[in-house]
Amino acid sequence: MPVKVSVIIPVYNPGIYIEDCISSLQRQSLPPDEFEVIFVDDGSTDETPARLDRLAAEDPRMKVIHQENSGWSGKPRNVGIEASRGEFVMFVDNDDYLGDEALERMYDYGVANGADVVVGKMAGKGRGVPVELFRRNHPRATVENAPLIDSLTPHKMFRRAFLDRIGLRFPEGRRRLEDHVFIAEAYLRAENVSVLSDYVCYYHLRRDDGSNAGFERFDPVGYFKNLREALDVVERYTEPGPVRDKLFRRWLRVEMVERLRAGRFLKLPDDYRRELFAEIHEVVVERFGPGVAAGLQPTQQVVAALTAADRYDDVVSFAQWEAGVAPKAAPGHVEWRDGSLSIGFTAEYTSGGEPMTFPADAGATPLDDAPKDVTEAVEWVASQTAARFGQATADLLLRERSSAAQYFQPVRFTRETVPVGGGGEVRLVLRATATVDPADLPRDGVWDALVRVKLGGWTKECRLGPAPMATRPTPDAGVVGGRAALPYWTEPHGNLSLHLGLRGKRLGLGRVQQSGVTVTGDQMRARLPLYVPGDTGMRLRFVSAQQILEAPGTLSPATDGTGGVLAAVLPAESLSRGVWRVALCPAPDAARPLYTGLPFALRAMGGRVQVASVPQPGVALRVARRARRVLGGVRRKVSRLRIGGQ
């Protein structure tokens, strides 16, 4: 059978960090005979070569090529391309890993859309990823209709015939930004680029030891020499005008202006800062016309103008002011509504910990020349930010704590100018309501709520919080879409998070009152602090010293709008005399149904059942020990009664 995808991995001294990469490849949902993995060992001096040889001997999908060290990733990737047999090639770094369905999803998406390049959604653990590019799927993306240029790392899937047809390969040797040169040409020459955003395909990691190649301090002269080669590619395949300016703007913004802003710039030693600034100044003056910087956000325009004017000291002073600017998101309501979690919040920017203020009567004016000083620069930024308030946005993202995968949630927001005193100043506040459907999140686990605020020249994220202890909303856990979900506030910071697939004490079932449980004949009803949008199937487990019985139940919304009412038919005739502990599984159709004990028991007496207190610890311990003797061992005999055909 033809190979659909060849995964190419340049390898150099990854140590233990390659293990997650290997494991993710072995878990791929694409059938084993439809993909191959080519590790190109670039002269590693650790234990990796032997590790890869053993892997290749055990797994026929895995191949290893050993070569002398070439100095960077370009040559190993090119060697992998030449050795590949796949219809597509996929580039992965040895310290990153793939989502389990990445190869299958990206291949199918690329074939369905006739793509030469497939860009899969990325998650960054300690590394930045292009969030806006993955807001939605783009089956037919270009550098004009999508922010493709924001993603210039090589971790994408390419049609092998496309690479061969245009003769595209990576620049080789010890150099920076070889991926920028490769990816920029691929974007500009591909017949179609498809962006897959509804599944995290690639996990981009920063090592705990900080030794990723991209985090090493670079030589500014060599770095910006290599950057010019990427600009040469853009000039070769575009005409002068708005499209070229837009593409150039990416390098001006990300590789130059952002390196000269706020804390990122200030934490560098002064001698290195000056060297970096000098090289950036040279590129800005040499390569960028006025149309490039004019499309930047106000703060970025200021830095670009001061850089072009060769005013290092003012760039440092402006960075010191910007270092105190940060977003703040204040929680409002958090409550279940119509099967989803409704989250209200306000967001604005602060400076030095206080709400930023802006002129109330600001108008948009172009930055025709560099500001005469930093005071004038700050005043111009404030005026332009207020004038552009109609473009400000607020988003809520949920970020999986374990993987850093993040997903935009639907948000409605309004913009409000709040007068401050009587001096003609206003605060710029965004008031938003987000709707979170737990069923839309791909995995159980903890998801942290982040607010992303675009205002003026800033696009920053912050946690949603803190919420004051005295006034924070504390909704019950809910069962939605077959999953238990609990919105909660972290300790000690008081930020909002969502726990999916939880069990045990966090469900809050310990708050069930014995007085809220009734048994009439074989009918049991119990008031539970669990939200459900409608009648929802549950499962009950009854445990005595000798038996475990199970029965279905239904949790319905309470008429007073708080919590739910559980109704179940007890297996009364099968409940032998004695005390039965009761446990609830709120998501019986989950891959791993989990039960949580309820704080009441049932006492069976000659066909009659009464609600009882849970046995005291001493009694419970004796019952548990007896239960283990009865239920444990090779000759264990467990009687399970399933009611209603379930």
Side-chain angles (χ1 to χ4, degrees):
M1 180 177 292
V3 174
K4 292 180 176 179
V5 182
S6 297
V7 182
I8 298 169
I9 307 172
V11 178
Y12 181 72
N13 287 355
I16 62 172
Y17 294 98
I18 200 172
E19 296 302 327
D20 285 343
C21 180
I22 292 171
S23 297
S24 75
L25 293 164
Q26 293 177 323
R27 293 194 304 268
Q28 287 301 300
S29 61
L30 195 66
D33 58 349
E34 294 183 0
F35 75 97
E36 63 178 358
V37 181
I38 302 172
F39 294 95
V40 183
D41 171 39
D42 197 41
S44 293
T45 58
D46 63 2
E47 300 298 321
T48 302
R51 168 72 175 101
L52 294 178
D53 287 340
R54 291 194 303 272
L55 177 68
E58 298 166 357
D59 190 334
R61 296 171 297 181
M62 310 292 171
K63 300 175 176 59
V64 185
I65 298 172
H66 298 285
Q67 66 179 31
E68 292 184 2
N69 182 255
S70 67
W72 212 250
S73 300
K75 183 175 181 179
R77 292 192 186 110
N78 290 341
V79 169
I81 293 172
E82 298 308 320
S84 67
R85 299 180 295 124
E87 180 184 352
F88 285 82
V89 295
M90 172 81 189
F91 298 109
V92 176
D93 281 351
N94 60 196
D95 38 25
D96 296 334
Y97 65 92
L98 297 176
D100 292 356
E101 301 172 23
L103 298 182
E104 181 178 18
R105 286 179 179 248
M106 291 178 72
Y107 175 84
D108 289 347
Y109 195 67
V111 170
N113 293 293
D116 289 328
V117 183
V118 184
V119 185
K121 183 182 177 81
M122 301 176 71
K125 298 186 71 174
R127 306 193 70 159
V129 296
V131 175
E132 291 298 328
L133 177 60
F134 302 119
R135 189 181 282 269
R136 62 176 180 84
N137 285 346
H138 297 270
R140 301 196 65 81
T142 70
V143 294
E144 297 179 59
N145 68 17
L148 280 178
I149 203 64
D150 287 350
S151 180
L152 291 175
T153 63
H155 315 117
K156 299 164 179 62
M157 191 176 283
F158 301 84
R159 191 181 295 273
R160 169 69 189 275
F162 161 68
L163 299 181
D164 290 343
R165 174 171 55 82
I166 68 172
L168 183 59
R169 295 295 187 268
F170 287 91
E172 297 184 2
R174 185 164 182 81
R175 49 168 296 124
R176 293 276 184 167
L177 304 179
E178 84 291 343
D179 46 359
H180 287 207
V181 174
F182 183 93
I183 300 299
E185 183 168 347
Y187 284 159
L188 292 170
R189 300 186 70 182
E191 292 185 7
N192 184 40
V193 180
S194 295
V195 180
L196 177 65
S197 300
D198 55 10
Y199 178 81
V200 178
C201 299
Y202 197 92
Y203 292 86
H204 201 27
L205 274 64
R206 180 170 188 171
R207 291 188 187 183
D208 294 335
D209 61 5
S211 62
N212 305 73
F215 285 97
E216 298 173 3
R217 182 176 295 177
F218 59 80
D219 164 42
V221 175
Y223 188 90
F224 289 103
K225 177 183 176 181
N226 295 152
L227 184 145
R228 287 176 173 91
E229 295 173 12
L231 302 181
D232 291 341
V233 171
V234 174
E235 288 187 342
R236 187 177 307 129
Y237 296 107
T238 64
E239 297 294 329
V243 173
R244 180 182 292 181
D245 286 348
K246 176 183 177 181
L247 299 180
F248 275 1
R249 194 173 298 131
R250 185 269 174 209
W251 280 278
L252 174 60
R253 172 173 52 87
V254 177
E255 304 297 336
M256 301 179 204
V257 167
E258 290 301 317
R259 294 184 186 278
L260 304 178
R261 291 180 70 184
R264 181 179 182 180
F265 188 48
L266 297 174
K267 70 180 181 181
L268 300 172
D270 183 67
D271 57 344
Y272 184 75
R273 285 203 311 245
R274 290 179 181 277
E275 184 181 6
L276 183 66
F277 176 83
E279 289 300 318
I280 291 175
H281 163 72
E282 187 173 326
V283 178
V284 169
V285 173
E286 171 192 313
R287 300 298 293 263
F288 300 140
V292 179
L296 295 173
Q297 294 296 324
T299 50
Q300 297 164 346
Q301 287 190 51
V302 166
V303 176
L306 294 173
T307 302
D310 202 14
R311 288 163 53 183
Y312 170 80
D313 290 338
D314 283 342
V315 169
V316 172
S317 296
F318 191 76
Q320 291 169 339
W321 170 74
E322 262 205 291
V325 175
K328 180 180 180 181
H333 72 268
V334 180
E335 59 190 36
W336 294 102
R337 294 180 184 173
D338 302 322
S340 296
L341 190 66
S342 179
I343 301 172
F345 62 91
T346 60
E348 63 182 313
Y349 273 91
T350 63
S351 179
E354 297 296 325
M356 290 187 75
T357 59
F358 304 86
D361 56 352
T365 57
L367 187 65
D368 295 325
D369 199 0
K372 67 180 183 182
D373 54 31
V374 172
T375 299
E376 183 178 282
V378 171
E379 290 174 351
W380 184 81
V381 166
S383 178
Q384 300 316 296
T385 300
R388 298 182 183 205
F389 189 41
Q391 302 170 23
T393 61
D395 281 295
L396 183 84
L397 297 94
L398 289 184
R399 178 178 295 166
E400 187 179 25
R401 190 174 295 175
S402 63
S403 72
Q406 54 191 21
Y407 294 85
F408 284 96
Q409 304 301 303
V411 172
R412 294 179 291 104
F413 65 86
T414 58
R415 305 176 182 95
E416 181 178 344
T417 56
V418 180
V420 178
E425 296 283 301
V426 295
R427 291 164 51 196
L428 304 179
V429 179
L430 294 156
R431 299 189 180 278
T433 299
T435 303
V436 176
D437 185 350
D440 290 340
L441 295 172
R443 283 181 296 277
D444 289 344
V446 176
W447 295 78
D448 296 319
L450 292 94
V451 173
R452 182 177 175 87
V453 184
K454 285 186 178 181
L455 175 65
W458 301 284
T459 299
K460 296 176 181 285
E461 294 176 357
C462 64
R463 289 296 306 273
L464 179 50
M469 180 74 74
T471 59
R472 66 178 57 164
T474 55
D476 292 332
V479 180
V480 179
R483 307 166 85 178
L486 174 68
Y488 73 97
W489 304 98
T490 62
E491 293 296 342
H493 301 295
N495 297 320
L496 183 65
S497 294
L498 181 67
H499 191 169
L500 293 185
L502 73 161
R503 60 165 294 180
K505 292 181 179 180
R506 300 205 69 188
L507 272 174
L509 297 178
R511 305 200 311 270
V512 174
Q513 299 294 316
Q514 185 175 331
S515 59
V517 184
T518 60
V519 175
T520 305
D522 62 354
Q523 305 288 321
M524 185 188 80
R525 292 174 66 83
R527 186 68 178 263
L528 304 184
L530 280 179
Y531 167 84
V532 286
D535 291 351
T536 302
M538 307 267 152
R539 194 149 193 87
L540 289 160
R541 177 173 286 176
F542 308 94
V543 181
S544 73
Q546 292 82 22
Q547 288 181 291
I548 299 175
L549 306 179
E550 292 184 358
T554 300
L555 186 64
S556 303
T559 55
D560 62 3
T562 59
V565 177
L566 177 68
V569 178
L570 299 174
E573 295 182 358
S574 301
L575 293 176
S576 59
R577 182 181 295 274
V579 176
W580 294 76
R581 295 292 303 266
V582 184
L584 178 73
C585 178
D589 296 328
R592 289 181 59 239
L594 302 174
Y595 284 82
T596 297
L598 298 175
F600 64 89
L602 299 178
R603 185 182 300 278
M605 301 175 295
R608 294 185 298 112
V609 180
Q610 294 180 341
V611 181
S613 299
V614 175
Q616 295 300 310
V619 176
L621 182 60
R622 290 194 296 274
V623 170
R625 287 174 176 170
R626 185 179 178 190
R628 282 197 297 271
R629 289 196 299 271
V630 173
L631 299 176
V634 177
R635 301 181 63 184
R636 178 177 60 192
K637 184 177 181 181
V638 178
S639 172
R640 293 182 180 272
L641 177 64
R642 300 186 180 274
I643 307 299
Q646 298 189 26

